[in-house]
Amino acid sequence: DSGVTQTPKHLITATGQRVTLRCSPRSGDLSVYWYQQSLDQGLQFLIHYYNGEERAKGNILERFSAQQFPDLHSELNLSSLELGDSALYFCASSPGTGGGEQYFGPGTRLTVT
Amino acid sequence: DQQVKQNSPSLSVQEGRISILNCDYTNSMFDYFLWYKKYPAEGPTFLISISSIKDKNEDGRFTVFLNKSAKHLSLHIVPSQPGDSAVYFCAASAGLGGGNKLTFGTGTQLKVEL
C-alpha cells in the first residue's frame, strides 16, 4: 500500500459526459501528479501540482483540468468525454518538487461507451 | 518521440536465475532514473532508483546500473522469484528543470518460471 488513495476505482460513462477523479496523496506529500495509461501506451504525464499550485503540464487535453485543494487532495476533471479517453488514470505523490521517487495510487479505470 | 525506450516487451527467466531488464533513453537532460513494478489492476510500485552521479545502486536482490555515455540503464534481479513476475517500467526525470514529471518506457513483462 503506497498510501495514495484514488476514487472511484472504476467508472463507466457515456461519450460527451463529464467525470471527476479524486486523489489523496500520502500523508505529508505536497506534490500530486496525474498520469494516463491508455491500452497501447505507457504512462503519460498529464499535470503536476505542488501545494495547490500548478507546476507543470504534459500532454493534457484542453477538455481536462485539475486542481489541488488546501487539504492537498487533488481532482482531475474530464469533460466532453470521447471513446479515446478510456484509460487508466493514476495519481502519484511525492514530498516536494526536488525530484525523486513518486508513489502511485491504485488508479481509476475509466471506460467511455 | 519516445524518450525512454524498453525494447523488449517480454522476458522469460527461470526461477533462481538472473533477470536483466534494459532501458535506453535519448534525453541528455535526464538526471534521475527509476524502476517501477506493476501488477495487473494495481498502480506502479517503486522499486529502485539511481542518480546520474552514480553508476550503480543496489537494494537487496535488485541492482540498477547506469551507463551515461551509452544512455542505457539496466535492472538486475538476482535470484529471480515467481513473485517477481510483473510488468517493469523504466522511468526518468530531468530534475527541477523538467518539472519532476516522470517519462516512462512502455514496459517489459517479466515472467519467472518454476
Side-chain angles (χ1 to χ4, degrees):
Chain A
D1 184 355
S2 66
V4 179
T5 60
Q6 287 187 250
T7 55
K9 196 167 177 62
H10 300 279
L11 199 49
I12 301 174
T13 189
T15 54
Q17 295 298 304
R18 173 189 167 95
V19 297
T20 298
L21 313 183
R22 183 188 169 105
C23 167
S24 292
R26 293 187 319 162
S27 177
D29 284 357
L30 298 179
S31 273
V32 169
Y33 309 81
W34 286 97
Y35 292 85
Q36 179 193 56
Q37 184 180 25
S38 301
L39 206 57
D40 56 351
Q41 293 190 13
L43 288 128
Q44 303 285 323
F45 168 74
L46 293 178
I47 198 162
H48 168 208
Y49 274 84
Y50 173 76
N51 204 21
E53 292 186 5
E54 182 186 303
R55 281 301 183 100
K57 264 186 174 178
N59 299 322
I60 187 166
L61 300 171
E62 284 191 15
R63 300 183 285 108
F64 295 2
S65 65
Q67 52 185 328
Q68 187 180 26
F69 294 87
D71 67 352
L72 301 175
H73 91 271
S74 177
E75 292 181 357
L76 179 67
N77 300 295
L78 315 177
S79 61
S80 303
L81 285 167
E82 302 175 359
L83 294 177
D85 298 327
S86 296
L88 271 165
Y89 291 85
F90 291 103
C91 164
S93 75
S94 69
T97 62
E101 297 81 31
Q102 294 177 18
Y103 295 89
F104 283 77
T108 293
R109 179 173 292 282
L110 173 67
T111 303
V112 182
T113 61
Chain B
D1 176 27
Q2 193 71 27
Q3 297 185 57
V4 178
K5 299 177 185 178
Q6 293 176 257
N7 292 319
S8 299
S10 63
L11 175 68
S12 187
V13 170
Q14 280 195 317
E15 182 182 12
R17 306 294 290 267
I18 184 171
S19 294
I20 300 176
L21 296 99
N22 294 303
C23 178
D24 298 294
Y25 63 95
T26 57
N27 188 341
S28 57
M29 297 300 290
F30 289 147
D31 58 4
Y32 201 79
F33 303 89
L34 310 90
W35 284 94
Y36 284 84
K37 172 180 176 180
K38 187 179 181 305
Y39 294 117
E42 293 184 13
T45 301
F46 169 72
L47 268 180
I48 192 168
S49 61
I50 188 166
S51 164
S52 60
I53 62 173
K54 294 186 174 182
D55 54 17
K56 177 182 173 182
N57 188 26
E58 195 170 353
D59 184 2
R61 296 187 298 114
F62 302 92
T63 303
V64 56
F65 296 91
L66 175 62
N67 182 335
K68 281 177 292 184
S69 60
K71 293 191 174 69
H72 176 84
L73 64 156
S74 61
L75 174 68
H76 293 208
I77 306 173
V78 183
S80 300
Q81 299 173 353
D84 296 330
S85 296
V87 178
Y88 288 77
F89 289 97
C90 167
S93 72
L96 290 175
N100 297 324
K101 68 173 187 179
L102 293 179
T103 301
F104 282 86
T106 49
T108 296
Q109 172 80 58
L110 173 66
K111 184 176 180 182
V112 180
E113 298 172 319
L114 298 171

